[in-house]
Amino acid sequence: LSVSKPFDLVILQGGSGEVLTKKSRNEFAKESRKLIKKIRKAGSEPALYMIHAYSKSHNKYDPNMINKVIKTYEASGNKNNVLVIPVGIAFENAYELNPNIKLHKSFDGSHPNMLGTYLASCVIFASITQKSPKGLQYSYFNEVSNAEKNFLQDVAHKTVENFFDIEL
């Protein structure tokens, strides 16, 4: 498969395990740098999707994991001069504001469920457009309630504003 012109933006996302050890974080830095160079050479702009940490139901849950995630993605973003999309921080913010919300699949504590995916999409939207996701009408065919939608859009809005020190 080939395309006739480059994509405007290529978003890279690592795996959760890539932040767990110093060796794996170094490997992430090395591999992301290679991919970022390759994306730029092809005429596209790269970005990094900051993953979320494991939830408490995961067997490798570590309350400090988000700090490893942030450090890993910010270091790679700064070193390679690329946009970092703060999805992981938004998950932490949502859980802090509403400890009862469920953003991860219950069976593994790693992958996002519908609400986690919705939150991530709002953070991506706000990060790349620098526009607030507040007021977006999409609700996955009414699977995301108005209350959930408003809460997640607000979390995404505030997370992006704080992370980039901008006003949306």
Side-chain angles (χ1 to χ4, degrees), residues 33-161:
R33 184 161 184 79
K34 281 186 202 174
L35 289 171
I36 288 165
K37 284 182 178 182
K38 189 173 186 177
I39 291 165
R40 285 193 170 128
K41 187 175 181 183
S44 298
E45 188 61 35
L48 293 171
Y49 175 112
M50 180 192 292
I51 61 170
H52 51 269
Y54 295 141
S55 71
K56 291 179 181 176
S57 64
H58 193 279
N59 63 355
K60 291 187 179 177
Y61 170 73
D62 171 6
N64 191 43
M65 183 177 177
I66 191 60
N67 295 321
K68 294 173 186 173
V69 169
I70 293 168
K71 184 178 177 182
T72 302
Y73 279 79
E74 285 184 343
S76 185
N78 289 334
K79 186 171 186 174
N80 297 292
N81 194 30
V82 297
L83 172 71
V84 175
I85 301 169
V87 173
I89 296 171
F91 270 61
E92 294 299 311
N93 291 343
Y95 281 129
E96 186 175 315
L97 292 167
N98 181 359
N100 296 319
I101 195 166
K102 304 289 185 224
L103 301 174
H104 289 81
K105 296 275 189 184
S106 60
F107 61 82
D108 72 357
S110 176
H111 295 91
N113 64 14
M114 175 65 71
L115 294 182
T117 301
Y118 190 87
L119 175 58
S121 66
C122 288
V123 174
I124 293 167
F125 171 84
S127 296
I128 64 176
T129 66
Q130 294 192 347
K131 294 180 183 175
S132 177
K134 291 164 89 172
L136 293 175
Q137 296 302 308
Y138 185 72
S139 64
Y140 194 70
F141 307 101
N142 297 316
E143 291 292 318
V144 179
S145 73
N146 282 334
E148 293 165 331
K149 184 172 64 169
N150 292 336
F151 173 74
L152 296 171
Q153 288 176 359
D154 189 55
V155 168
H157 175 102
K158 289 176 182 171
T159 299
V160 170
E161 279 193 332

Side-chain angles (χ1 to χ4, degrees), residues 5-50:
K5 28 184 223 183
F7 294 101
D8 292 333
L9 184 67
V10 177
I11 301 174
L12 301 173
Q13 174 187 341
S16 304
E18 291 176 327
V19 302
L20 298 179
T21 67
K22 183 175 173 119
K23 181 180 178 185
S24 60
R25 289 190 295 274
N26 288 339
E27 187 68 19
F28 173 84
K30 184 175 106 181
E31 292 302 316
S32 64
R33 184 161 184 79
K34 281 186 202 174
L35 289 171
I36 288 165
K37 284 182 178 182
K38 189 173 186 177
I39 291 165
R40 285 193 170 128
K41 187 175 181 183
S44 298
E45 188 61 35
L48 293 171
Y49 175 112
M50 180 192 292

